[in-house]
């Protein structure tokens, strides 16, 4: 059989537009009579606040300043929990929370007006350490525990597994927060069509969900919202949450639009999610030959001020912490925890990227203790076709890990 | 306001610019060359690179009035009128060096600035030539191989 695409080197459909500079990213859209928006963001991590916009409003060229009271529908959004506010109403929970959106005739004026808004903070004690946060002494969201998710995995009997182990290695690993730093900072433009349809054009990874979130915040049916996704300048998970979409929609409807906004690199850093930093406490045991017998892990994922994809990310960490290895006795507890840090969500690997830092170093240490090579210990335990993962999945197809390890080892001349 | 004249992609422009206007804003907002991208506004990412009098420069760090009398090449100036791509653009396409594409216009110009001066660069020289341009998507390997391929095309005379 011959295919048109499979097995062939095909030139990507959007390649030509991109090499000629004709691809349109949202910041490349200019419309007649467009206004510019700039966001005012919190500069403290946890506080009640009040705003005085009177000076800013008087600046020539300022059209309107939008705050929480201008959200026509629900002042909330979020991919799993609606824990983000479109604009904070009373309280900020992290540095970078949106407080107001200034719309003006030029970007420069909008920026000047943002700086002219007076913000009074009444600071609250904040919590930055997820282990502290688990005590719930300082609550990031009123009325909810900071522990928003607990993934529990139990297989076999770990006491027995460790009792039978010839070597046991136990350590704590910490991974760091990471930003996607996609090259195209967030940008968008919104306008209203003749029949009242709100059009938001922004680079996003989740246009159909953005449509629902915009509709809910605007208090209109979803079919009254159109989301256009032009060229996206990288994303890596960082464009799965709402940033400027709803602000633009509110401003376009109130002013008649079009309204455009382009984030600076600095604002981009505080506006979107990060990779969850994790504290991974892990104990691994193996027999004399290097066969894994038991693994116990506790993972604490710091999701910062908002949940975003914390549940899915933390679950994935909890599953992948075994590595691609057969282990008969496993106990895992993975927690996602609110703090007043920048919020964390999707980023390349989605929870599977953090845990190998722990798992694989454990493997190396076990190998060292047993006097066998790091390759050998992996070959002895690697998943193959028919293996069962710790969470009970039988791998029925294509598990070429051993082939892969051998090829890498040959290439490294280590085998 | 100040009146300046400059050449962009072979065409002469006479424009009024504000004192605090950057070359980047002039090219994008006033003249419509939106292939010039803004990624950091502080000379770090290279997305705003253009060729000015034969040299690769970051247009976010140059004031518009400094472009008085200069000759500028942006990505829009590379494709021939009949639609033929510049060999560098062709090589980027064929090698799969384009992903999100936000770095691409400036990356192609960085390659041009290099190959115009050094038609037979080594891998090291290519890496140095594009070292002012960040790409978050590709991992650079395919960009380096495109520049090599483009050098072959150019040395064969055209494509
Ligand atoms: S925008 Fe000029 S170097 Fe990044
Ligand atoms: S292709 Fe996305 S930054 Fe280079």
């Amino acid at each position: 059989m011959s295919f048109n695409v499979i097995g062939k080197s095909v030139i990507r459909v959007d390649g030509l537009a991109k090499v000629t500079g004709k691809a349109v990213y949202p910041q490349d859209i200019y419309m007649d009579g467009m206004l510019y928006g700039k966001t005012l963001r919190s500069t403290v991590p946890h506080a009640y606040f009040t705003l005085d916009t009177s000076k800013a409003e008087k600046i020539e060229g300022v059209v309107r300043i939008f705050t929480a009271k201008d959200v026509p529908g629900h002042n909330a959004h979020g991919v799993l929990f609606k824990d983000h506010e479109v604009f904070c109403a009373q309280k900020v929970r992290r540095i970078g929370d949106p407080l107001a959106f200034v719309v003006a005739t030029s970007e420069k004026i909008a920026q000047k007006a943002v700086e002219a808004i007076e913000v009074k903070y009444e600071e609250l004690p904040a919590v930055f350490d997820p282990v502290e946060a688990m005590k719930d002494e300082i609550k990031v969201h009123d009325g909810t525990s900071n522990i928003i998710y607990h993934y529990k995995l139990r297989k076999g009997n770990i006491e027995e597994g460790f009792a039978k182990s010839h070597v046991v290695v136990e350590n704590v690993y910490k991974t760091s927060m990471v930003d996607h730093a996609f090259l195209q900072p967030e940008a968008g433009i919104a306008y209203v069509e003749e029949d009242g349809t709100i059009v938001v054009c922004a680079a996003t990874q989740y246009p159909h969900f953005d449509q629902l979130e915009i509709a809910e915040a605007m208090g209109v049916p979803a079919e009254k919202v159109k989301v256009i996704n032009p060229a996206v300048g990288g994303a890596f998970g960082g464009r799965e949450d709402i940033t400027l979409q709803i602000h633009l929609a509110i401003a376009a409807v109130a002013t008649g639009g079009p309204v455009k906004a382009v984030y600076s690199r600095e604002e981009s850093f505080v506006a979107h999610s990060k990779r969850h930093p994790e504290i991974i406490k892990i104990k691994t045991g193996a027999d004399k030959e290097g066969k894994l017998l038991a693994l116990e892990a506790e993972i604490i994922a710091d999701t910062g001020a908002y949940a975003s994809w914390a549940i899915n990310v933390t679950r994935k960490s909890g599953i992948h912490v075994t590595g691609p290895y057969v282990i008969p006795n496993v106990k895992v507890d993975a927690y996602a925890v609110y703090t007043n840090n920048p919020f964390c969500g999707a980023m390349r690997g989605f929870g599977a990227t953090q845990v190998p830092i722990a798992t694989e170093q454990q493997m190396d240490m076990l190998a060292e203790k047993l006097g066998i090579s790091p390759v050998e210990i992996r070959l002895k335990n690697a998943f193959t076709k028919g293996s069962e993962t710790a969470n009970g999945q039988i791998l029925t197809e294509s598990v070429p890990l051993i082939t892969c390890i051998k090829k890498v080892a040959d290439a490294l001349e280590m085998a | 306001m100040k009146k300046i004249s400059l050449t962009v992609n072979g065409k002469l422009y006479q424009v009024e610019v504000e004192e605090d206007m950057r070359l980047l804003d002039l090219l994008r907002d006033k003249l419509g060359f939106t292939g010039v991208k803004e990624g950091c506004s502080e000379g770090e990412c290279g997305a705003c690179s253009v060729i000015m009098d034969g040299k690769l420069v970051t247009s976010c760090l140059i004031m518009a009035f400094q472009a008085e009398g200069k000759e500028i090449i942006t990505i829009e100036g590379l494709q021939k009128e009949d639609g033929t791509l510049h060999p560098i653009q062709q090589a980027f396409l064929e090698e799969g060096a384009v992903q999100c594409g936000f770095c691409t216009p400036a990356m192609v110009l960085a390659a041009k600035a290099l190959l115009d001066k050094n038609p037979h660069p080594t891998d090291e020289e290519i890496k140095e030539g594009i070292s002012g341009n960040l790409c978050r998507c590709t991992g650079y390997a395919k960009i380096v191989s495109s520049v090599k391929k483009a050098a072959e095309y150019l040395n064969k005379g055209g494509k």
Side-chain angles (χ1 to χ4, degrees), chain A residues 183 233-234 236, chain B residues 97-104 107 134-138 143:
Chain A
L183 206 60
F236 320 123
Chain B
V98 181
Q99 288 189 26
C100 86
F102 203 72
C103 71
T104 307
M107 206 58 96
L134 297 181
C135 175
R136 280 294 280 169
C137 303
T138 64
I143 295 177

Side-chain angles (χ1 to χ4, degrees), chain B residues 17 22 24 26 34 50 61 63 74 87 109 112 130 144 156:
Chain B
V17 301
R22 302 170 301 172
L24 173 63
L26 169 62
T34 51
V50 296
L61 293 186
M63 302 314 289
T74 72
L109 291 173
K112 179 168 164 40
I130 60 166
V144 173
K156 270 191 227 141

